[in-house]
Amino acid sequence: MGTTAAVSLAIRVIPCLDVDDGRVVKGINFTGLRDAGDPVELAARYDAEGADELVFLDITASSGDRKTMLDVVRRTADCIFIPLTVGGGVRSPDDFNQLLRAGADKVSLNTAAIADPNLLSQAAERFGAQCVVLSIDARRCPPGVSTESGFEVTTHGGRRSTGIDAISWAIEGTKRGAGEILLNSMDADGTKTGFDLQLIEGVRSVVQVPVIASGGAGALTDFAPAVNAGADAVLAASVFHFGEFTVAQVKQTLNEAGIPVRLMTH
Amino acid sequence: MSIREIVILDYGSGNLRSAQRALERVGATVTVTSDFDTAVNADALVVPGVGAFAACMRGILEVQGDQIIDRRISGGRPVLGICVGMQVLFARGDEHGTEVAGLGQWPGMVEQLEAPILPHMGWDTVRAPASSKIFDGLADERFYFVHSFGVTKWQLNENTLDRQPPVVTWCTHGTDFVAAVEDGPLVATQFHPEKSGDAGLALLQSWVRSLY
């Protein structure tokens, strides 16, 4: 065996697609797409650009549309050979199982895990920690809310306060079996002013599982600081959907900053 | 030349669909089943695996997977183990202090990796010897890993073998561990070729072609 660099694992670049009733929502502005709202077509596009993983967030509230999401997952898994994480509205081990059987590699839990943290343990026991992602929507405490770290967990897309310390929740979530944390900064989300580095550092310093940083990406130069703050993966949505820059450009920028990435060789 | 018939052993381990679709993509005909005779007699057998070592072993034993694999290997018929499907080929697994017997195709222990961040999750490079067939042309590629356990010491005494010594490919995450083994009809990868994009498909294609 030859000598190798201490870390050769590539930092992952992950596009996130919000899916409502089988269609991708939020602005999609790609040229050359037959149908910009079709999640399967978009997934293939991102795969070709070098996405290391994909996240589908099912934002459909009604459980009746769960079947539609399963069909989207199935069709995507049939043609995309990179890992797929699916989240949104997962409330039970059975929901979890259905998504895995449809072709999801990982399933993210958010609100349901806050309501019942046992769900994390149950899912990890049954399916393995490697496919249990704890999604945390965190924000700096607003006036009237106080936590030890200064960050709290929110629900309902950042609109509802829980008063739970986001850093403590990350620790508890991984103790209960989450194999990865999807860390969404609700303060940075949509601002395009960069990731919340303090939040990333705070979580990174207390957990031993991979951390995906999400929220705030607006420029190519935003990604390396998130990695340097401790993120193992970086996630973005609108900047990719609007074609402001590509996954390949993000990877090139990280590569130039000396950060290992998977570069496409073809 | 007929299309090769590949069986994916269905013993209750998750996400068999991805492996099936990836193998179909590279030209194989795939059946997912736990039927003993079908699995023994197929042109090739894939043993997938996700989750815990002990749970996978239980599932494999329930469908007599130990006998299926033994019969195939003694007859020189190809078997591909993926992720925990590779780990169970070793003699023992140690999860949180509890030892579980593996299938014993190779000596050695599957144990938790020593690394600051676990699981080892994502795209990593491997160090394949020049004699490797499955990594031929793929030396610089990255493959998708997701696991916390691995085999850190290759314990087969190659001097006592009456056959070609196995080709062992390594990866490093905190510590060196076995990323792949090519041992005659028995091939195994710790990473997921079916989730490793074009590089993974190319590797599977090499393997499928080797079945002719």
Side-chain angles (χ1 to χ4, degrees), chain A residues 8 10 52 81 105 208 265-266, chain B residues 118 123-124 142 195 197-198:
Chain A
S8 62
D52 296 310
F81 301 103
D105 298 284
Q208 283 75 50
T265 50
H266 58 273
Chain B
L118 286 177
W123 299 77
D124 217 333
R142 288 177 179 273
K195 285 288 156 187
D198 291 342

Side-chain angles (χ1 to χ4, degrees), chain A residues 1 4 8-10 52-53 74 78 81-83 104-106 130 179-180 204 208-209 232 261-262 265-266, chain B residues 15 17 21-22 116-124 127 141-142 144 146 170 176 194-198:
Chain A
M1 288 177 282
T4 48
S8 62
L9 190 61
D52 296 310
E53 261 180 59
R74 217 171 273 126
D78 280 354
F81 301 103
I82 57 173
D105 298 284
K106 297 186 265 187
Q130 83 290 333
E180 189 172 34
R204 168 76 291 156
Q208 283 75 50
V209 301
D232 302 280
V261 288
R262 178 179 70 117
T265 50
H266 58 273
Chain B
N15 203 354
R17 190 181 181 83
R21 294 303 309 229
I117 296 175
L118 286 177
H120 175 224
M121 187 184 284
W123 299 77
D124 217 333
R127 301 187 300 286
E141 297 288 350
R142 288 177 179 273
Y144 188 81
V146 49
W170 293 85
D176 291 343
E194 79 281 13
K195 285 288 156 187
S196 296
D198 291 342

Side-chain angles (χ1 to χ4, degrees), chain B residues 70-124:
Chain B
D70 268 343
R71 293 257 295 264
R72 293 191 59 89
I73 296 305
S74 56
R77 274 168 288 169
V79 174
L80 172 65
I82 297 174
C83 198
V84 184
M86 161 172 149
Q87 295 178 356
V88 293
L89 295 171
F90 287 84
R92 298 173 341 275
D94 179 355
E95 286 188 346
H96 314 297
T98 308
E99 265 200 37
V100 179
L103 296 172
Q105 294 290 336
W106 299 308
M109 168 84 93
V110 179
E111 55 198 335
Q112 189 164 330
L113 301 177
E114 281 181 30
I117 296 175
L118 286 177
H120 175 224
M121 187 184 284
W123 299 77
D124 217 333

Side-chain angles (χ1 to χ4, degrees), chain B residues 126-140 143 164-170 179-184 186-189 191 202-204 206-207 210:
Chain B
V126 299
R127 301 187 300 286
S131 55
S132 164
K133 291 192 177 72
I134 59 172
F135 292 103
D136 186 26
L138 300 172
D140 299 327
F143 298 90
Q164 283 285 101
V167 177
V168 182
T169 293
W170 293 85
V181 182
E182 296 157 75
D183 183 14
L186 192 54
V187 173
T189 64
F191 56 85
L203 184 142
L204 288 173
S206 294
W207 180 70
S210 75

